[in-house]
């Protein structure tokens, strides 16, 4: 027997004391809350606008600059807290799920009371609720027909637009206005509550859906729900996409556990919030049919799924003659593109190249974007028809990803439409998780500087957009170069594995 003392196992410091990341993330959310008061979106009709502290933060240069720094720095620190939480829970042992849920609650709580940031779509919801209360059809009438509509904080670009939302959400908007009388601040809180219903559904059913695929539920929840883009978009910004995604995740879970009828009902409710999730409906039919179904049974359940869903949507649209007005959101293309989308950027490059050689560059660019849109539909159809029958949820996530990523316009929160479905079916600890880091970080940084409200008369030594971008870039450089913990996430190969994280416990 050797007298050599045993060598102690190396200690993984990243897997210790997750409460540190939770506390840092809570502080970050408080910074976002404070910063939102100075540069977030407050409706002109809100009593907050007459509060002296709010006035000083929004009209004094030092207040605006301080608010911009706090908001942007908070977003970067929240990003770091999320990354560090993943490192500290890297073993994904028993208790990890409880810690991730705690992070979602702790980080989301301050955002629940923040002034809307990164977007002011929530104010448009109030306008659409007022249209419903006035007996008008939001599918044919813009909110500019309402008296005093501008005081409710709605983006003027919504003034004449028809709503792209489904009938269920219009009725929910009508209910919010019935409770609040259209008061903007109370309406924001109630719309946040609706979005948080979706967050709660994700918290409940993401781990359950992950377990069906042999994937660790805590890790899947950390990737898809605890990330800062999800919390900012669906809590602070109160996007109705949060409710849409939550209903979709719940519906997919029930369809995958042989409760297809309930799955169709919940998936249809998701469509009735925002119609884009109609992409998921054929996959719900596949799950309902079962992985051993032949082509005849598949077509039968596709028909049953489609007819049942259509009947429910028609019933929701009967009052006020709403009908199927939501279909315009699927058939009418929104003009323009975002420069960072593959479709937008590629179209720009081809347009410039075409013009350089004397061709009609505009037509070439538009043709390229149309081609990618058609290609996304083809990819989604292929994934619906072909593939491993035991990987329907994975195929569905990839189909939604194709529809989103090949579209001309990609808003930051669109990524969250498909991320949960990829997370529950396994995101590998290699380039896949690194891609998640990059995409989430990009959209957090982009959102932080893209949607800042500043009065035009406020004199500033530097533009808030430029200041926010400088703070954000400095934060990203710190994470990538200086921080010894987070830089290993992108540049170290030691933690990489080609195996999916299937350590469900």
């Amino acid at each position: 027997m050797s007298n050599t003392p045993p060598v102690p196992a190396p200690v993984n410091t990243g897997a210790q004391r997750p409460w540190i990341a939770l506390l840092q993330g809570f502080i970050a959310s408080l910074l976002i809350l404070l910063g939102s008061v100075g540069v977030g979106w407050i409706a002109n009709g809100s009593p907050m606008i007459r509060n002296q502290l709010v006035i000083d933060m929004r009209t004094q240069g030092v207040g605006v600059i301080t608010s911009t720094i706090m908001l942007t720095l908070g977003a970067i620190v929240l990003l770091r807290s999320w990354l560090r939480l993943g490192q500290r829970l890297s073993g994904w042992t028993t208790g990890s799920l409880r810690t991730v849920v705690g992070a979602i609650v702790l980080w989301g709580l301050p955002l629940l009371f923040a002034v809307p940031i990164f977007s002011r779509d929530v104010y448009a919801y109030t306008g659409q609720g007022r249209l419903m209360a006035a007996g008008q059809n939001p599918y044919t009438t813009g909110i500019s027909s309402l008296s005093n509509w501008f005081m409710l904080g709605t983006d003027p670009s919504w003034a004449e637009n028809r709503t792209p939302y489904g009938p269920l959400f219009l009725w929910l908007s009508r209910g919010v206005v019935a409770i609040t009388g259209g008061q903007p601040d109370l309406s924001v809180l109630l719309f946040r509550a609706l979005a948080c219903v979706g967050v709660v559904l994700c918290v409940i059913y993401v781990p359950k859906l992950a377990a069906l695929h042999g994937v660790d539920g805590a890790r899947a929840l950390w990737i898809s729900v605890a990330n800062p883009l999800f919390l900012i978009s669906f809590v602070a910004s109160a996007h109705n996409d949060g409710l849409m995604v939550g209903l979709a995740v719940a519906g997919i879970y029930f369809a995958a556990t042989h409760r297809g009828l309930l799955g169709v009902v919940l998936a249809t409710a998701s469509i009735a919030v925002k119609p884009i999730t109609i992409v998921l409906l054929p996959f719900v039919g596949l799950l309902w049919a079962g992985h051993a179904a032949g082509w005849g049974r598949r077509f039968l359940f596709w028909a049953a799924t489609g007819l049942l869903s259509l009947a429910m949507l028609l019933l929701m649209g009967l009052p006020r003659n709403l009908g199927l007005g939501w279909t315009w959101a699927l058939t009418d293309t929104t003009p323009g593109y975002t420069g960072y989308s593959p479709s937008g950027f590629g179209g720009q490059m081809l347009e410039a190249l075409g013009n350089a050689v004397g061709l009609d560059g505009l037509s070439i660019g538009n043709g390229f974007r149309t081609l990618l849109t058609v290609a996304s539909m083809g990819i989604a159809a292929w994934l619906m028809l072909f593939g491993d029958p035991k990987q329907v949820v994975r195929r569905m996530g990839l189909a939604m990803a194709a529809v989103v990523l090949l579209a001309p316009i990609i808003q930051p929160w669109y990524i969250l439409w498909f991320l949960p479905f990829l997370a529950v079916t396994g995101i590998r600890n290699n380039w896949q998780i690194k891609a998640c880091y990059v995409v989430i970080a990009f959209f957090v940084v982009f959102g932080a500087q893209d949607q800042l409200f500043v009065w035009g008369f406020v004199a500033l030594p530097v533009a808030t957009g430029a200041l926010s971008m400088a703070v954000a870039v400095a934060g990203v450089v710190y994470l990538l170069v200086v921080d010894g913990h987070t830089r290993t996430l992108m540049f170290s190969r030691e933690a990489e594995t080609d195996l999916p994280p299937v350590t469900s416990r």
Side-chain angles (χ1 to χ4, degrees), residues 267-287:
T268 302
S270 175
I271 295 168
V273 171
K274 203 165 184 178
I276 187 62
T277 45
I278 201 169
V279 174
L280 310 182
L281 202 58
F283 298 93
V284 174
L286 286 176
L287 291 170

Side-chain angles (χ1 to χ4, degrees), residues 178-336:
I179 295 171
T180 66
Q183 203 282 334
D185 300 327
L186 292 177
S187 298
V188 167
L189 286 176
L190 285 187
F191 281 118
R192 277 204 177 116
L194 289 175
C196 285
V197 170
V199 175
V200 170
L201 288 173
C202 287
V203 168
I204 294 172
Y205 291 107
V206 161
K208 292 178 179 290
L209 199 52
L212 294 179
H213 295 86
V215 172
D216 186 88
R219 186 177 185 273
L221 193 67
W222 167 73
I223 292 173
S224 59
V225 180
N227 76 72
L229 183 62
F230 188 100
L231 295 175
I232 291 172
S233 299
F234 293 164
V235 180
S237 299
H239 280 295
N240 60 1
D241 306 59
L243 180 59
M244 175 196 79
V245 171
L247 289 168
V249 169
I252 296 304
Y253 170 75
F254 284 110
T257 51
H258 312 294
R259 286 167 282 185
L261 187 61
L262 181 55
V264 173
V265 170
L266 289 170
T268 302
S270 175
I271 295 168
V273 171
K274 203 165 184 178
I276 187 62
T277 45
I278 201 169
V279 174
L280 310 182
L281 202 58
F283 298 93
V284 174
L286 286 176
L287 291 170
W288 192 8
H291 65 82
W295 283 106
R297 183 176 171 85
R298 293 181 194 177
F299 279 104
L300 176 63
F301 278 83
W302 277 329
T305 300
L307 290 173
L308 177 59
S309 182
L310 179 61
M312 292 175 58
L313 291 167
L314 284 171
L315 284 174
M316 284 185 251
L318 279 179
R320 303 284 176 83
N321 294 317
L322 294 176
L324 295 176
W326 52 269
T327 56
W328 80 266
L330 298 174
T331 57
D332 288 5
T333 56
T334 303

Side-chain angles (χ1 to χ4, degrees), residues 371-385:
L371 179 64
L372 287 192
T373 299
V374 173
S376 72
M377 297 177 184
I379 292 170
W382 177 270
L383 289 166
M384 178 190 77
L385 293 169

